[in-house]
Amino acid sequence: MTGAADHRNPIVSIVALEKHFGAFRVLHHVSLDVFPGEVVCLIGASGSGKTTLLRCINQLAQQDSGAIWVDGELNGFTIANGRLHRRSEREIARQRLATGMVFQRFNLFPHLTALENIVEGPVEVLRRPRAAAAEEVQALLARVGLADKAGHYPAQLSGGQQQRVAIARALAMHPRVMLFDEPTSALDPELVGEVLAVMKELAASGMTMIVVTHELGFAREVADRVVFMDHGRILEQGPAEEVLLRPREARTQAFLSAVLG
Amino acid sequence: MTAPAPLPDISGYSIAPERHWGRWLAVAVILLLLAALGRAFAVGMIEWRYVGAFLTAPAILTGIANTLVMTVATMALGIALGVTTATMRMSPNPVLRGVAVGYVWLFRGTPVILQLLLWFNLALIFPRLGISGVWTVRTVDVMTPMVAAFLGLGINQGAYTSEVVRAGMLAVDTGQYEAAKAIGMTRLLALRRIVLPQAMRVIIPPLGNEFIGMVKLTSLASVIQYTEILHSAQNIYYANSRVIELLIVAAIWYLAVISVLTPLQMLLERHFARGTAGGR
């Protein structure tokens, strides 16, 4: 898939990103293009900047310098007369619609049922009629295997079920790119599989996905490209088999042998 | 070595009821004290027939109605101002934050009875209100005891309620704001749809407290001639000198109102607990 994708324009283009938290450098000169239909897995140790990179893509975090283009639009700024002008909050909210985000800790809305969680965006943000939206959401719930859980509150669902509702909630906004921030890290081991299965189905359907993960088996099976990050930099990237089985960099080798034990 | 004694099989035993001798003793002592207190009041210098006669006197009923109206109106104003101020206080805009902090500082920093007197005597500062040359009214015509009590109590309440609301908003996990933003919500929409409904669970108990407090705080408006129940009771005992009897009438009405409000608060709490272990 990677080879074919290279001829097209990237859907996400990250250019020379820099970010600091105080004196700590989280991202250093990170550049990355992601093409339509591609599945890119970001791997690396905790604190290597993977999650921050993901959060910059949907503007939950703001980079200090550098640029991110999503679907041809510059994140957070407009360009006029050779200067950058900050976009309004409303504009940034609109830009976020291009990406769907799945969080490590699900972040479902606890006061709403599974169905209401997913319907909330289409109705309140996209202003779609509730009945039509609810119908589509039922189909989405079926797609993630939870057709019978529509009326359940998050507290009544297992972690794996909650994360699948969260995926459906993101999909309901019809994003161009799905962002996953360690989607299985907060799950009991026996529940990881059901979430990965939904993600595999999503990848197979042609969705562009950027996945921060420690699930190297998933990366190897599904990712078109694996990106290894270390201390805020992209150290190595390439096809999954290459990076995971024949890493060039010593730090990648060290990380992989530590993770695989 | 001797063989260990077999453990007794307890599957056939029932659990003997516990005897709470201390509790029974305490109840007896309390009942005794209450009886003594009741007798003291019964033989004391209280003409109970006056209490009975004035409990439903028209002036008293008007008074309690005015107390209720003022409580609901001032709390409505207080909650509206409180939610607005809390939202401003948590805004990224420093001007809005500053206005919110200033408002809370000013109205929490002075006694509410002083604020009531200021509103009521506003005519001393501004004899006429309106736009000069276009339309004006005499302040004394506008600033009736009712309007002064409404503004004085309501605006003061808003300052306190804003802190209650802010505490509730802070109690909501930041992941909820992020999830709301991630589906394209603006800050205000996220507050209204996602954060405030969850904050309500934390806000309702202290707000119920404030509401009950306001039922009684309206009695302060008697000093600016607003005819709430205490003012009505006072008017009557100025005429007939039955001071204690009429104060008891007012006390009975306050207790009655608050007895009704408490279960209402529990119903509200249950409504906003949906989705948590406690509700459903």
Side-chain angles (χ1 to χ4, degrees), chain B residues 5 8 20 30 50-52 58 69 100 103-104 126 147 160 180 182 199 209 226 237:
Chain B
H20 299 287
I30 290 166
Y50 281 99
V51 175
V69 166
Y103 162 63
V104 173
F126 310 110
V147 171
Y160 285 92
N209 213 24
Y226 179 66
Y237 72 59

Side-chain angles (χ1 to χ4, degrees), chain A residues 55 60 89 93 96-97 99 101 103 107-111 120-121 124-125 153 155 169 173, chain B residues 173 175-176 178-187 189 192-194 197-198 274-275 280:
Chain A
R55 291 165 60 83
L60 286 179
E89 192 210 349
R96 284 203 184 97
L97 293 175
T99 53
M101 179 86 164
F103 298 89
N107 295 352
L108 288 184
F109 307 132
H111 61 304
E120 188 69 12
E124 294 295 331
V125 178
Y153 284 94
R169 178 174 68 182
M173 306 304 284
Chain B
D173 183 51
Q176 294 289 309
E178 296 193 340
K181 280 183 179 174
I183 56 170
M185 286 192 171
T186 57
R187 203 180 73 87
L189 186 60
R192 183 168 66 79
R193 295 289 310 174
I194 305 301
Q198 293 181 57
R274 83 207 123 107
R280 288 173 86 109

Side-chain angles (χ1 to χ4, degrees), chain A residues 111 153, chain B residues 197 200-201 204 264-276 278-280:
Chain A
H111 61 304
Y153 284 94
Chain B
M200 287 308 277
R201 224 161 56 79
I204 294 283
L264 281 181
Q265 177 184 337
M266 283 167 66
L267 282 179
L268 264 183
E269 282 182 27
R270 203 171 306 165
H271 172 74
F272 283 107
R274 83 207 123 107
T276 61
R280 288 173 86 109

